[in-house]
Amino acid sequence: MSNDLVVNKNDLIQAIEDKSVSDIIKPLVNEIHLFDTFIAGTTHLEDQSVLDEVAEGDKVNLRREENKFDEKAILVQDQNGRKLGYIPEKDNLIFSRLMDAGKLLIGKVSDIQLHGTFHKIKIGIYLVDY
């Protein structure tokens, strides 16, 4: 049949030969914007110098955390795994449920305001869909 899709194994191997797995998968990833919020708890960090290194556009990791103060706690970390704070408790119910169900959520820094030594860091929360 002339309309059949035919993929030659050698052509496929050559197309992906010099690429990493992330280069191959990246075009298949869709980041769906869910919500905007601010990072809570930045004033309670032991080392607040990490906040000076955060920039608009940075991606931040969101991780569930066992926490005696909030059973739905979501830790916000920079790309090096350093603690930046938390998703505010008033905002984390749905996101904690999504994460507990195995969904990958990330954050992206959208705005930073400095009020004296206080860092007000706004992030968008995104669902990473494959």
Side-chain angles (χ1 to χ4, degrees), residues 71-89:
E71 65 184 29
K72 302 174 302 294
I74 300 173
L75 176 66
V76 180
Q77 299 173 310
D78 70 4
Q79 291 294 299
N80 295 315
R82 297 178 295 180
K83 181 178 178 178
L84 300 174
Y86 293 90
I87 299 298
E89 185 175 4

Side-chain angles (χ1 to χ4, degrees), residues 1 3 20 23 25-26 30 54 56 65 68 78 80 99 107 116 118 126 128:
M1 297 184 165
N3 290 335
S20 69
D23 290 335
I25 293 176
K26 190 177 254 181
N30 189 21
V54 177
E56 284 185 36
E65 179 184 82
K68 64 182 179 182
D78 70 4
N80 295 315
M99 294 175 83
F118 175 71
Y126 293 80
V128 179

Side-chain angles (χ1 to χ4, degrees), residues 64 72-74 92-101 105:
R64 287 286 274 125
K72 302 174 302 294
I74 300 173
N92 68 11
L93 175 64
I94 301 297
F95 305 119
S96 64
R97 287 180 179 173
L98 285 168
M99 294 175 83
D100 291 347
L105 300 180

Side-chain angles (χ1 to χ4, degrees), residues 98-129:
L98 285 168
M99 294 175 83
D100 291 347
K103 302 300 181 187
L104 175 61
L105 300 180
I106 62 166
K108 291 183 186 178
V109 177
S110 58
D111 188 46
I112 300 172
Q113 297 176 14
L114 220 56
H115 301 281
T117 58
F118 175 71
H119 292 75
K120 186 174 183 180
I121 303 173
K122 183 178 181 181
I123 63 169
I125 298 176
Y126 293 80
L127 171 67
V128 179
D129 186 35

Side-chain angles (χ1 to χ4, degrees), residues 4-109:
D4 286 348
L5 176 62
V6 178
V7 178
N8 182 322
K9 181 179 177 183
N10 291 333
D11 291 341
L12 183 59
I13 291 171
Q14 185 177 3
I16 64 173
E17 192 172 59
D18 296 327
K19 300 193 187 286
S20 69
V21 172
S22 64
D23 290 335
I24 297 166
I25 293 176
K26 190 177 254 181
L28 305 176
V29 174
N30 189 21
E31 294 175 350
I32 303 165
H33 181 250
L34 301 176
F35 193 72
D36 291 310
T37 190
F38 292 91
I39 300 176
T42 57
T43 58
H44 301 291
L45 296 175
E46 289 180 23
D47 179 13
Q48 292 198 357
S49 67
V50 68
L51 300 174
D52 295 325
E53 298 175 29
V54 177
E56 284 185 36
D58 284 357
K59 286 188 177 181
V60 293
N61 299 319
L62 304 179
R63 303 275 183 255
R64 287 286 274 125
E65 179 184 82
E66 286 193 28
N67 185 307
K68 64 182 179 182
F69 301 107
D70 179 8
E71 65 184 29
K72 302 174 302 294
I74 300 173
L75 176 66
V76 180
Q77 299 173 310
D78 70 4
Q79 291 294 299
N80 295 315
R82 297 178 295 180
K83 181 178 178 178
L84 300 174
Y86 293 90
I87 299 298
E89 185 175 4
K90 68 180 182 61
D91 296 334
N92 68 11
L93 175 64
I94 301 297
F95 305 119
S96 64
R97 287 180 179 173
L98 285 168
M99 294 175 83
D100 291 347
K103 302 300 181 187
L104 175 61
L105 300 180
I106 62 166
K108 291 183 186 178
V109 177

